[in-house]
PDB file of all heavy atoms in Angstrom:
ATOM      1  N   ARG A   1       9.317 -12.614   5.499  1.00  0.00           N
ATOM      2  CA  ARG A   1       8.262 -11.883   4.826  1.00  0.00           C
ATOM      3  C   ARG A   1       8.243 -10.436   5.316  1.00  0.00           C
ATOM      4  O   ARG A   1       8.348 -10.175   6.519  1.00  0.00           O
ATOM      5  CB  ARG A   1       6.914 -12.556   5.081  1.00  0.00           C
ATOM      6  CG  ARG A   1       5.758 -11.962   4.306  1.00  0.00           C
ATOM      7  CD  ARG A   1       4.481 -12.787   4.482  1.00  0.00           C
ATOM      8  NE  ARG A   1       4.647 -14.158   4.000  1.00  0.00           N
ATOM      9  CZ  ARG A   1       3.648 -15.033   3.909  1.00  0.00           C
ATOM     10  NH1 ARG A   1       2.419 -14.687   4.262  1.00  0.00           N
ATOM     11  NH2 ARG A   1       3.895 -16.263   3.466  1.00  0.00           N
ATOM     12  N   GLU A   2       8.111  -9.494   4.393  1.00  0.00           N
ATOM     13  CA  GLU A   2       8.124  -8.090   4.742  1.00  0.00           C
ATOM     14  C   GLU A   2       6.939  -7.371   4.125  1.00  0.00           C
ATOM     15  O   GLU A   2       6.474  -7.707   3.038  1.00  0.00           O
ATOM     16  CB  GLU A   2       9.425  -7.417   4.288  1.00  0.00           C
ATOM     17  CG  GLU A   2       9.618  -7.396   2.779  1.00  0.00           C
ATOM     18  CD  GLU A   2      10.817  -6.581   2.341  1.00  0.00           C
ATOM     19  OE1 GLU A   2      11.274  -5.711   3.117  1.00  0.00           O
ATOM     20  OE2 GLU A   2      11.312  -6.811   1.216  1.00  0.00           O
ATOM     21  N   LEU A   3       6.460  -6.369   4.821  1.00  0.00           N
ATOM     22  CA  LEU A   3       5.380  -5.534   4.331  1.00  0.00           C
ATOM     23  C   LEU A   3       5.906  -4.593   3.256  1.00  0.00           C
ATOM     24  O   LEU A   3       6.938  -3.948   3.436  1.00  0.00           O
ATOM     25  CB  LEU A   3       4.771  -4.735   5.482  1.00  0.00           C
ATOM     26  CG  LEU A   3       3.648  -3.766   5.124  1.00  0.00           C
ATOM     27  CD1 LEU A   3       2.372  -4.527   4.785  1.00  0.00           C
ATOM     28  CD2 LEU A   3       3.389  -2.792   6.271  1.00  0.00           C
ATOM     29  N   VAL A   4       5.181  -4.496   2.142  1.00  0.00           N
ATOM     30  CA  VAL A   4       5.572  -3.578   1.076  1.00  0.00           C
ATOM     31  C   VAL A   4       4.546  -2.478   0.845  1.00  0.00           C
ATOM     32  O   VAL A   4       4.871  -1.462   0.234  1.00  0.00           O
ATOM     33  CB  VAL A   4       5.856  -4.320  -0.249  1.00  0.00           C
ATOM     34  CG1 VAL A   4       7.048  -5.256  -0.083  1.00  0.00           C
ATOM     35  CG2 VAL A   4       4.631  -5.091  -0.722  1.00  0.00           C
ATOM     36  N   ALA A   5       3.327  -2.665   1.304  1.00  0.00           N
ATOM     37  CA  ALA A   5       2.303  -1.638   1.138  1.00  0.00           C
ATOM     38  C   ALA A   5       1.122  -1.942   2.044  1.00  0.00           C
ATOM     39  O   ALA A   5       0.785  -3.106   2.266  1.00  0.00           O
ATOM     40  CB  ALA A   5       1.835  -1.547  -0.314  1.00  0.00           C
ATOM     41  N   HIS A   6       0.491  -0.886   2.539  1.00  0.00           N
ATOM     42  CA  HIS A   6      -0.642  -1.044   3.435  1.00  0.00           C
ATOM     43  C   HIS A   6      -1.620   0.090   3.191  1.00  0.00           C
ATOM     44  O   HIS A   6      -1.209   1.236   2.967  1.00  0.00           O
ATOM     45  CB  HIS A   6      -0.172  -1.037   4.901  1.00  0.00           C
ATOM     46  CG  HIS A   6      -1.268  -1.222   5.898  1.00  0.00           C
ATOM     47  ND1 HIS A   6      -1.948  -0.160   6.466  1.00  0.00           N
ATOM     48  CD2 HIS A   6      -1.812  -2.348   6.439  1.00  0.00           C
ATOM     49  CE1 HIS A   6      -2.855  -0.611   7.302  1.00  0.00           C
ATOM     50  NE2 HIS A   6      -2.790  -1.933   7.307  1.00  0.00           N
ATOM     51  N   ILE A   7      -2.908  -0.229   3.234  1.00  0.00           N
ATOM     52  CA  ILE A   7      -3.936   0.792   3.066  1.00  0.00           C
ATOM     53  C   ILE A   7      -5.047   0.533   4.068  1.00  0.00           C
ATOM     54  O   ILE A   7      -5.549  -0.579   4.198  1.00  0.00           O
ATOM     55  CB  ILE A   7      -4.473   0.821   1.614  1.00  0.00           C
ATOM     56  CG1 ILE A   7      -5.483   1.956   1.439  1.00  0.00           C
ATOM     57  CG2 ILE A   7      -5.079  -0.522   1.220  1.00  0.00           C
ATOM     58  CD1 ILE A   7      -5.832   2.225  -0.025  1.00  0.00           C
ATOM     59  N   THR A   8      -5.435   1.570   4.795  1.00  0.00           N
ATOM     60  CA  THR A   8      -6.476   1.451   5.804  1.00  0.00           C
ATOM     61  C   THR A   8      -7.847   1.541   5.156  1.00  0.00           C
ATOM     62  O   THR A   8      -7.992   1.837   3.970  1.00  0.00           O
ATOM     63  CB  THR A   8      -6.338   2.550   6.864  1.00  0.00           C
ATOM     64  OG1 THR A   8      -6.647   3.818   6.277  1.00  0.00           O
ATOM     65  CG2 THR A   8      -4.930   2.583   7.441  1.00  0.00           C
ATOM     66  N   SER A   9      -8.877   1.293   5.960  1.00  0.00           N
ATOM     67  CA  SER A   9     -10.237   1.398   5.455  1.00  0.00           C
ATOM     68  C   SER A   9     -10.567   2.817   5.012  1.00  0.00           C
ATOM     69  O   SER A   9     -11.423   3.013   4.145  1.00  0.00           O
ATOM     70  CB  SER A   9     -11.233   0.948   6.522  1.00  0.00           C
ATOM     71  OG  SER A   9     -11.134   1.750   7.690  1.00  0.00           O
ATOM     72  N   GLY A  10      -9.887   3.801   5.595  1.00  0.00           N
ATOM     73  CA  GLY A  10     -10.089   5.192   5.225  1.00  0.00           C
ATOM     74  C   GLY A  10      -9.244   5.662   4.067  1.00  0.00           C
ATOM     75  O   GLY A  10      -9.358   6.823   3.657  1.00  0.00           O
ATOM     76  N   GLY A  11      -8.378   4.797   3.533  1.00  0.00           N
ATOM     77  CA  GLY A  11      -7.578   5.144   2.375  1.00  0.00           C
ATOM     78  C   GLY A  11      -6.182   5.646   2.677  1.00  0.00           C
ATOM     79  O   GLY A  11      -5.477   6.088   1.757  1.00  0.00           O
ATOM     80  N   THR A  12      -5.745   5.592   3.929  1.00  0.00           N
ATOM     81  CA  THR A  12      -4.394   6.007   4.277  1.00  0.00           C
ATOM     82  C   THR A  12      -3.394   4.946   3.848  1.00  0.00           C
ATOM     83  O   THR A  12      -3.548   3.773   4.172  1.00  0.00           O
ATOM     84  CB  THR A  12      -4.269   6.263   5.780  1.00  0.00           C
ATOM     85  OG1 THR A  12      -5.186   7.288   6.164  1.00  0.00           O
ATOM     86  CG2 THR A  12      -2.853   6.703   6.138  1.00  0.00           C
ATOM     87  N   ARG A  13      -2.353   5.364   3.132  1.00  0.00           N
ATOM     88  CA  ARG A  13      -1.364   4.442   2.582  1.00  0.00           C
ATOM     89  C   ARG A  13      -0.022   4.564   3.291  1.00  0.00           C
ATOM     90  O   ARG A  13       0.387   5.654   3.685  1.00  0.00           O
ATOM     91  CB  ARG A  13      -1.170   4.699   1.088  1.00  0.00           C
ATOM     92  CG  ARG A  13      -2.424   4.467   0.250  1.00  0.00           C
ATOM     93  CD  ARG A  13      -2.231   4.989  -1.161  1.00  0.00           C
ATOM     94  NE  ARG A  13      -3.333   4.614  -2.053  1.00  0.00           N
ATOM     95  CZ  ARG A  13      -4.479   5.276  -2.150  1.00  0.00           C
ATOM     96  NH1 ARG A  13      -4.695   6.344  -1.394  1.00  0.00           N
ATOM     97  NH2 ARG A  13      -5.413   4.863  -2.990  1.00  0.00           N
ATOM     98  N   ASN A  14       0.661   3.440   3.432  1.00  0.00           N
ATOM     99  CA  ASN A  14       1.985   3.393   4.027  1.00  0.00           C
ATOM    100  C   ASN A  14       2.881   2.465   3.224  1.00  0.00           C
ATOM    101  O   ASN A  14       2.444   1.414   2.771  1.00  0.00           O
ATOM    102  CB  ASN A  14       1.917   2.920   5.482  1.00  0.00           C
ATOM    103  CG  ASN A  14       1.208   3.899   6.387  1.00  0.00           C
ATOM    104  OD1 ASN A  14       0.039   3.708   6.728  1.00  0.00           O
ATOM    105  ND2 ASN A  14       1.910   4.944   6.784  1.00  0.00           N
ATOM    106  N   TYR A  15       4.162   2.866   3.060  1.00  0.00           N
ATOM    107  CA  TYR A  15       5.137   2.082   2.326  1.00  0.00           C
ATOM    108  C   TYR A  15       6.477   2.135   3.036  1.00  0.00           C
ATOM    109  O   TYR A  15       6.831   3.164   3.616  1.00  0.00           O
ATOM    110  CB  TYR A  15       5.349   2.616   0.904  1.00  0.00           C
ATOM    111  CG  TYR A  15       4.098   2.840   0.095  1.00  0.00           C
ATOM    112  CD1 TYR A  15       3.465   4.076   0.087  1.00  0.00           C
ATOM    113  CD2 TYR A  15       3.573   1.819  -0.693  1.00  0.00           C
ATOM    114  CE1 TYR A  15       2.331   4.293  -0.674  1.00  0.00           C
ATOM    115  CE2 TYR A  15       2.432   2.032  -1.456  1.00  0.00           C
ATOM    116  CZ  TYR A  15       1.818   3.270  -1.439  1.00  0.00           C
ATOM    117  OH  TYR A  15       0.691   3.478  -2.199  1.00  0.00           O
ATOM    118  N   PRO A  16       7.245   1.057   2.983  1.00  0.00           N
ATOM    119  CA  PRO A  16       8.619   1.136   3.476  1.00  0.00           C
ATOM    120  C   PRO A  16       9.487   1.901   2.486  1.00  0.00           C
ATOM    121  O   PRO A  16       9.120   2.069   1.317  1.00  0.00           O
ATOM    122  CB  PRO A  16       9.039  -0.335   3.570  1.00  0.00           C
ATOM    123  CG  PRO A  16       8.241  -1.008   2.502  1.00  0.00           C
ATOM    124  CD  PRO A  16       6.910  -0.288   2.490  1.00  0.00           C
ATOM    125  N   ASP A  17      10.643   2.373   2.943  1.00  0.00           N
ATOM    126  CA  ASP A  17      11.517   3.160   2.089  1.00  0.00           C
ATOM    127  C   ASP A  17      11.971   2.399   0.846  1.00  0.00           C
ATOM    128  O   ASP A  17      12.242   3.009  -0.193  1.00  0.00           O
ATOM    129  CB  ASP A  17      12.743   3.633   2.874  1.00  0.00           C
ATOM    130  CG  ASP A  17      12.387   4.672   3.918  1.00  0.00           C
ATOM    131  OD1 ASP A  17      11.329   5.308   3.795  1.00  0.00           O
ATOM    132  OD2 ASP A  17      13.186   4.854   4.856  1.00  0.00           O
ATOM    133  N   SER A  18      12.041   1.084   0.928  1.00  0.00           N
ATOM    134  CA  SER A  18      12.538   0.293  -0.181  1.00  0.00           C
ATOM    135  C   SER A  18      11.661   0.365  -1.427  1.00  0.00           C
ATOM    136  O   SER A  18      12.146   0.146  -2.536  1.00  0.00           O
ATOM    137  CB  SER A  18      12.711  -1.170   0.240  1.00  0.00           C
ATOM    138  OG  SER A  18      11.476  -1.719   0.672  1.00  0.00           O
ATOM    139  N   VAL A  19      10.371   0.670  -1.257  1.00  0.00           N
ATOM    140  CA  VAL A  19       9.461   0.721  -2.399  1.00  0.00           C
ATOM    141  C   VAL A  19       8.777   2.071  -2.554  1.00  0.00           C
ATOM    142  O   VAL A  19       8.089   2.287  -3.557  1.00  0.00           O
ATOM    143  CB  VAL A  19       8.386  -0.379  -2.314  1.00  0.00           C
ATOM    144  CG1 VAL A  19       9.029  -1.743  -2.102  1.00  0.00           C
ATOM    145  CG2 VAL A  19       7.377  -0.084  -1.213  1.00  0.00           C
ATOM    146  N   LYS A  20       8.959   2.965  -1.613  1.00  0.00           N
ATOM    147  CA  LYS A  20       8.297   4.260  -1.653  1.00  0.00           C
ATOM    148  C   LYS A  20       8.658   5.011  -2.928  1.00  0.00           C
ATOM    149  O   LYS A  20       9.822   5.115  -3.302  1.00  0.00           O
ATOM    150  CB  LYS A  20       8.675   5.079  -0.422  1.00  0.00           C
ATOM    151  CG  LYS A  20       7.826   6.322  -0.208  1.00  0.00           C
ATOM    152  CD  LYS A  20       8.156   6.979   1.130  1.00  0.00           C
ATOM    153  CE  LYS A  20       7.883   6.036   2.284  1.00  0.00           C
ATOM    154  NZ  LYS A  20       8.176   6.660   3.600  1.00  0.00           N
ATOM    155  N   GLY A  21       7.635   5.525  -3.603  1.00  0.00           N
ATOM    156  CA  GLY A  21       7.828   6.227  -4.852  1.00  0.00           C
ATOM    157  C   GLY A  21       7.761   5.339  -6.072  1.00  0.00           C
ATOM    158  O   GLY A  21       7.661   5.846  -7.195  1.00  0.00           O
ATOM    159  N   ARG A  22       7.829   4.034  -5.882  1.00  0.00           N
ATOM    160  CA  ARG A  22       7.771   3.090  -6.998  1.00  0.00           C
ATOM    161  C   ARG A  22       6.501   2.246  -6.985  1.00  0.00           C
ATOM    162  O   ARG A  22       5.993   1.888  -8.044  1.00  0.00           O
ATOM    163  CB  ARG A  22       8.988   2.158  -6.984  1.00  0.00           C
ATOM    164  CG  ARG A  22      10.319   2.880  -7.091  1.00  0.00           C
ATOM    165  CD  ARG A  22      11.474   1.897  -7.255  1.00  0.00           C
ATOM    166  NE  ARG A  22      11.609   0.997  -6.106  1.00  0.00           N
ATOM    167  CZ  ARG A  22      11.495  -0.333  -6.179  1.00  0.00           C
ATOM    168  NH1 ARG A  22      11.243  -0.918  -7.353  1.00  0.00           N
ATOM    169  NH2 ARG A  22      11.649  -1.078  -5.100  1.00  0.00           N
ATOM    170  N   PHE A  23       6.018   1.903  -5.800  1.00  0.00           N
ATOM    171  CA  PHE A  23       4.830   1.062  -5.654  1.00  0.00           C
ATOM    172  C   PHE A  23       3.648   1.906  -5.200  1.00  0.00           C
ATOM    173  O   PHE A  23       3.807   2.859  -4.422  1.00  0.00           O
ATOM    174  CB  PHE A  23       5.060  -0.045  -4.621  1.00  0.00           C
ATOM    175  CG  PHE A  23       6.019  -1.128  -5.048  1.00  0.00           C
ATOM    176  CD1 PHE A  23       6.806  -0.991  -6.183  1.00  0.00           C
ATOM    177  CD2 PHE A  23       6.128  -2.289  -4.302  1.00  0.00           C
ATOM    178  CE1 PHE A  23       7.687  -1.986  -6.572  1.00  0.00           C
ATOM    179  CE2 PHE A  23       7.005  -3.292  -4.678  1.00  0.00           C
ATOM    180  CZ  PHE A  23       7.784  -3.142  -5.811  1.00  0.00           C
ATOM    181  N   THR A  24       2.463   1.536  -5.655  1.00  0.00           N
ATOM    182  CA  THR A  24       1.237   2.202  -5.241  1.00  0.00           C
ATOM    183  C   THR A  24       0.163   1.165  -4.940  1.00  0.00           C
ATOM    184  O   THR A  24      -0.138   0.318  -5.781  1.00  0.00           O
ATOM    185  CB  THR A  24       0.716   3.163  -6.327  1.00  0.00           C
ATOM    186  OG1 THR A  24       1.709   4.139  -6.641  1.00  0.00           O
ATOM    187  CG2 THR A  24      -0.541   3.873  -5.835  1.00  0.00           C
ATOM    188  N   ILE A  25      -0.393   1.233  -3.740  1.00  0.00           N
ATOM    189  CA  ILE A  25      -1.481   0.344  -3.364  1.00  0.00           C
ATOM    190  C   ILE A  25      -2.801   1.093  -3.519  1.00  0.00           C
ATOM    191  O   ILE A  25      -2.883   2.289  -3.233  1.00  0.00           O
ATOM    192  CB  ILE A  25      -1.311  -0.189  -1.924  1.00  0.00           C
ATOM    193  CG1 ILE A  25      -2.369  -1.248  -1.611  1.00  0.00           C
ATOM    194  CG2 ILE A  25      -1.352   0.943  -0.902  1.00  0.00           C
ATOM    195  CD1 ILE A  25      -2.144  -1.963  -0.276  1.00  0.00           C
ATOM    196  N   SER A  26      -3.823   0.397  -3.975  1.00  0.00           N
ATOM    197  CA  SER A  26      -5.143   0.985  -4.118  1.00  0.00           C
ATOM    198  C   SER A  26      -6.190  -0.084  -3.838  1.00  0.00           C
ATOM    199  O   SER A  26      -5.884  -1.280  -3.801  1.00  0.00           O
ATOM    200  CB  SER A  26      -5.338   1.589  -5.514  1.00  0.00           C
ATOM    201  OG  SER A  26      -5.213   0.599  -6.524  1.00  0.00           O
ATOM    202  N   ARG A  27      -7.426   0.349  -3.640  1.00  0.00           N
ATOM    203  CA  ARG A  27      -8.489  -0.591  -3.330  1.00  0.00           C
ATOM    204  C   ARG A  27      -9.769  -0.195  -4.039  1.00  0.00           C
ATOM    205  O   ARG A  27     -10.024   0.988  -4.294  1.00  0.00           O
ATOM    206  CB  ARG A  27      -8.720  -0.678  -1.813  1.00  0.00           C
ATOM    207  CG  ARG A  27      -9.112   0.642  -1.165  1.00  0.00           C
ATOM    208  CD  ARG A  27      -9.103   0.533   0.358  1.00  0.00           C
ATOM    209  NE  ARG A  27     -10.186  -0.304   0.849  1.00  0.00           N
ATOM    210  CZ  ARG A  27     -10.233  -0.843   2.065  1.00  0.00           C
ATOM    211  NH1 ARG A  27      -9.222  -0.649   2.905  1.00  0.00           N
ATOM    212  NH2 ARG A  27     -11.265  -1.580   2.436  1.00  0.00           N
ATOM    213  N   ASP A  28     -10.576  -1.188  -4.351  1.00  0.00           N
ATOM    214  CA  ASP A  28     -11.885  -1.003  -4.941  1.00  0.00           C
ATOM    215  C   ASP A  28     -12.850  -1.812  -4.094  1.00  0.00           C
ATOM    216  O   ASP A  28     -12.984  -3.022  -4.267  1.00  0.00           O
ATOM    217  CB  ASP A  28     -11.912  -1.452  -6.400  1.00  0.00           C
ATOM    218  CG  ASP A  28     -13.214  -1.115  -7.098  1.00  0.00           C
ATOM    219  OD1 ASP A  28     -14.252  -0.964  -6.415  1.00  0.00           O
ATOM    220  OD2 ASP A  28     -13.213  -0.995  -8.335  1.00  0.00           O
ATOM    221  N   ASN A  29     -13.504  -1.153  -3.162  1.00  0.00           N
ATOM    222  CA  ASN A  29     -14.376  -1.856  -2.230  1.00  0.00           C
ATOM    223  C   ASN A  29     -15.561  -2.518  -2.935  1.00  0.00           C
ATOM    224  O   ASN A  29     -16.027  -3.574  -2.504  1.00  0.00           O
ATOM    225  CB  ASN A  29     -14.887  -0.896  -1.160  1.00  0.00           C
ATOM    226  CG  ASN A  29     -13.795  -0.443  -0.210  1.00  0.00           C
ATOM    227  OD1 ASN A  29     -12.803  -1.137  -0.012  1.00  0.00           O
ATOM    228  ND2 ASN A  29     -13.976   0.723   0.389  1.00  0.00           N
ATOM    229  N   ALA A  30     -16.051  -1.908  -4.005  1.00  0.00           N
ATOM    230  CA  ALA A  30     -17.173  -2.484  -4.740  1.00  0.00           C
ATOM    231  C   ALA A  30     -16.818  -3.822  -5.362  1.00  0.00           C
ATOM    232  O   ALA A  30     -17.687  -4.671  -5.559  1.00  0.00           O
ATOM    233  CB  ALA A  30     -17.668  -1.514  -5.808  1.00  0.00           C
ATOM    234  N   LYS A  31     -15.540  -4.010  -5.686  1.00  0.00           N
ATOM    235  CA  LYS A  31     -15.073  -5.254  -6.286  1.00  0.00           C
ATOM    236  C   LYS A  31     -14.345  -6.146  -5.296  1.00  0.00           C
ATOM    237  O   LYS A  31     -13.834  -7.202  -5.678  1.00  0.00           O
ATOM    238  CB  LYS A  31     -14.149  -4.957  -7.469  1.00  0.00           C
ATOM    239  CG  LYS A  31     -14.823  -4.221  -8.612  1.00  0.00           C
ATOM    240  CD  LYS A  31     -13.845  -3.980  -9.755  1.00  0.00           C
ATOM    241  CE  LYS A  31     -14.513  -3.277 -10.915  1.00  0.00           C
ATOM    242  NZ  LYS A  31     -13.572  -3.026 -12.036  1.00  0.00           N
TER     243      LYS A  31
END
């Protein structure tokens, strides 16, 4: 299992090179 996207409580995003530029992580705290 590998990490493909991560987002902190403050909204900072991280991606590995394999998906960077193609994948986007986002969050909706209200939902």
Side-chain angles (χ1 to χ4, degrees):
R1 186 173 299 187
E2 64 173 339
L3 178 72
V4 296
H6 181 268
I7 184 168
T8 69
S9 60
T12 300
R13 297 169 172 84
N14 294 101
Y15 309 92
D17 291 339
S18 60
V19 308
K20 192 173 299 181
R22 300 187 298 119
F23 290 11
T24 302
I25 187 172
S26 61
R27 60 189 290 162
D28 187 336
N29 291 334
K31 297 181 179 180

